[in-house]
Amino acid sequence: MLAAANDAATHAPTAHQDRTALPFVTLDPATSTDLDQAFAIEVAGADIILKYAIADVAWFVDDGGVIDAEAWKRGATIYMPDGKAGLYPPVLSENAASLLPDGPRPAVVFTVRVDADGVPKLDGAERAIIQSRAKLAYDSVRPTDLPQGFAELARRMQAAEVARGAARVDPPEQEVGHDAEGRPELLFRPRLQSEEDNAALSLATNLAIADALQANATGLFRVMDEPGEPAIRRLRHTARAFGLDWPESASLSDYEKTLDPADARQAAFMLAIRRAGNGASYKPYEAGVTPWHSAMAATYTHATAPLRRLADRYIVRAALSVANGEPVEPVVADAFERLPKIMARADSLGNQVDNAVIDLAETIVLQDKIGQSFDAIVTDIDERGVRMQLSQYPVVARVVARGTNPGDAMQVRLVKADTATRALEFERIA
């Protein structure tokens, strides 16, 4: 496969318009090299025109070839604390196909018009050669580095989310740090404003593409149901464990919007909400059915990360066809039927890795606290027994505690914290 990837990296663009005069830039974590997206923005009267360039992965990857076959086995890039297992070889994902500023790159450029109410519409799409002017980083970007209209576009998209009743709130990242005495502790890194604003550009593009695909009776959509009553009850017990005041009259979506990720307890609860959700899945177009993503409160798709998600490569191809009045290629339509299973497997693997990392972090933080007691709240009882939330730490664990009910307070003692197996063991003491 590596030989095929090296050969594919030399595939010179021949079906692309020259758009190197447009002032594209990228905005990502400072260390990222697999850059899926670049953007240029202009203001046109009351509208904002977003030129969103997406890495043209399909230009390098032949249908049915060895690179394609391996990508179908993987489904997505899996991220780990010490590296990643890429969807594509680095010679493509971090070089020839990545929208780095070290030379022209092939891309699919979507033109998205965002009106004053934050409603995005797909105005066009084309294959193009672009030249990124700068590789901007979340933690160092300045407002003067960004194009006019960037902040206003983000504001419009965020206002539109509120108007739609969207419940999308991204939790902070959980990390292992050290306190003043050098002891490990669980920390939460809130998302930077530059991250939030940049996410609005992807959101606008994904919403616009989803609407265009649905209107043309094709596509693959990201769907998610509202959290069920059992999940809501568990979360209310979790909020109580953290000492948070969640009014009985407030819905989860309304309360979630009041949370402050800079507060450790509220950040931990935001993470608990993410873990308690039903999870999103993929669904191909179905006549007479409007695909719905409850957190977005909209019809939604993933199109903006084809270097990292297999499905995006095909959604980009379909959107390119639809925007130009062309029929969707049969190989793309066929892929939409097969991708839900592949992407579910990739999502499951990614979740397993994320959970293993969290479990390891918890055992690292608690390994020197064996024998200590902790306050806890019972959040749930199922066939595996009692699940509890520690009040002092963002840790969910199991414990043998007969005769308890969800919402009960109790005290437990830590008897085991094994970093090798990532296992915590508690016993109830009161």
Side-chain angles (χ1 to χ4, degrees):
M1 184 180 71
L2 293 180
N6 287 326
D7 181 64
T10 66
H11 191 190
T14 58
H16 299 69
Q17 300 297 314
D18 185 349
R19 299 293 182 244
T20 54
L22 290 173
F24 283 100
V25 297
T26 62
L27 180 57
D28 296 274
T31 58
S32 292
T33 52
D34 50 347
L35 309 185
D36 289 286
Q37 312 125 11
F39 57 89
I41 297 173
E42 60 186 62
V43 178
D47 295 338
I48 296 175
I49 308 300
L50 169 64
K51 296 284 187 178
Y52 210 56
I54 305 298
D56 192 1
V57 179
W59 186 254
F60 298 97
V61 179
D62 294 332
D63 293 320
V66 293
I67 303 172
D68 183 46
E70 182 63 26
W72 275 84
K73 292 177 183 177
R74 300 189 179 203
T77 294
I78 303 299
Y79 291 90
M80 295 161 283
D82 58 350
K84 61 188 176 186
L87 177 61
Y88 300 106
V91 69
L92 295 178
S93 63
E94 299 180 47
N95 194 344
S98 178
L99 303 183
L100 293 160
D102 59 355
R105 294 293 197 278
V108 176
V109 178
F110 293 102
T111 300
V112 179
R113 181 181 296 270
V114 180
D115 68 16
D117 294 324
V119 178
K121 179 178 180 294
L122 185 62
D123 267 7
E126 63 177 0
R127 276 190 150 130
I129 300 297
I130 70 158
Q131 171 66 66
S132 173
R133 300 291 198 273
K135 181 178 182 292
L136 305 176
Y138 290 139
D139 59 359
S140 61
V141 66
R142 301 166 299 180
T144 54
D145 297 328
L146 296 163
Q148 180 187 5
F150 177 85
E152 172 60 17
L153 192 157
R155 186 202 65 77
R156 291 184 183 187
M157 293 304 300
Q158 289 155 8
E161 286 191 277
V162 173
R164 292 198 309 271
R168 184 184 68 87
V169 177
D170 291 313
E173 292 185 10
Q174 193 171 20
E175 301 174 341
V176 177
H178 294 85
D179 64 18
E181 298 179 5
R183 293 171 300 197
E185 62 179 344
L186 286 173
L187 302 174
F188 295 92
R189 185 189 69 79
R191 281 162 59 98
L192 299 170
Q193 188 61 49
S194 57
E195 291 179 84
E196 296 286 353
D197 291 347
N198 192 48
L201 276 60
S202 287
L203 175 63
T205 306
N206 285 328
L207 290 173
I209 289 174
D211 286 344
L213 293 178
Q214 179 70 5
N216 284 272
T218 188
L220 182 69
F221 303 93
R222 199 73 165 140
V223 298
M224 187 171 75
D225 293 333
E226 296 277 357
E229 280 304 315
I232 298 295
R233 286 195 298 270
R234 287 196 300 271
L235 285 170
R236 285 196 173 274
H237 298 319
T238 301
R240 181 185 166 200
F242 287 135
L244 301 178
D245 181 18
W246 178 0
E248 285 295 328
S249 60
S251 68
L252 174 61
S253 61
D254 288 340
Y255 180 59
E256 189 173 6
K257 294 170 187 174
T258 71
L259 297 174
D260 179 6
D263 179 278
R265 294 178 305 150
Q266 296 180 55
F269 186 63
M270 292 174 72
L271 194 61
I273 294 172
R274 170 63 62 87
R275 294 173 182 169
N278 291 318
S281 60
Y282 288 87
K283 183 174 183 176
Y285 171 81
E286 182 180 350
V289 175
T290 300
W292 199 250
H293 193 294
S294 64
M296 300 295 181
T299 298
Y300 182 68
T301 193
H302 274 167
T304 56
L307 290 173
R308 290 169 279 170
R309 291 188 300 251
L310 175 64
D312 294 39
R313 169 157 55 103
Y314 293 92
I315 295 167
V316 166
R317 290 171 68 177
L320 183 61
S321 296
V322 164
N324 289 283
E326 300 171 353
V328 173
E329 302 163 85
V331 68
V332 173
D334 176 67
F336 287 157
E337 298 299 322
R338 297 187 291 129
L339 277 164
K341 181 178 179 180
I342 300 298
M343 299 309 295
R345 186 179 65 201
D347 284 346
S348 176
L349 178 57
N351 289 335
Q352 289 177 45
V353 171
D354 289 345
N355 291 336
V357 171
I358 291 171
D359 290 345
L360 177 59
E362 292 174 349
T363 57
I364 289 173
V365 168
L366 295 179
Q367 64 182 338
D368 64 346
K369 296 175 174 60
I370 293 175
Q372 293 185 22
S373 61
F374 302 88
D375 293 329
I377 297 289
V378 176
T379 60
D380 193 24
I381 300 175
D382 58 23
E383 66 279 0
R384 295 173 56 197
V386 171
R387 183 163 53 182
M388 64 177 180
Q389 171 73 61
L390 299 188
S391 298
Q392 297 99 318
Y393 294 93
V395 173
V396 176
R398 298 277 179 176
V399 67
V400 175
R402 295 181 178 84
T404 58
N405 295 297
D408 286 353
M410 60 182 175
Q411 277 197 321
V412 296
R413 179 186 293 116
L414 179 63
V415 297
K416 178 182 177 181
D418 188 339
T419 57
T421 60
R422 306 184 302 276
L424 295 172
E425 184 177 329
F426 293 86
E427 63 179 4
R428 183 183 182 186
I429 56 175

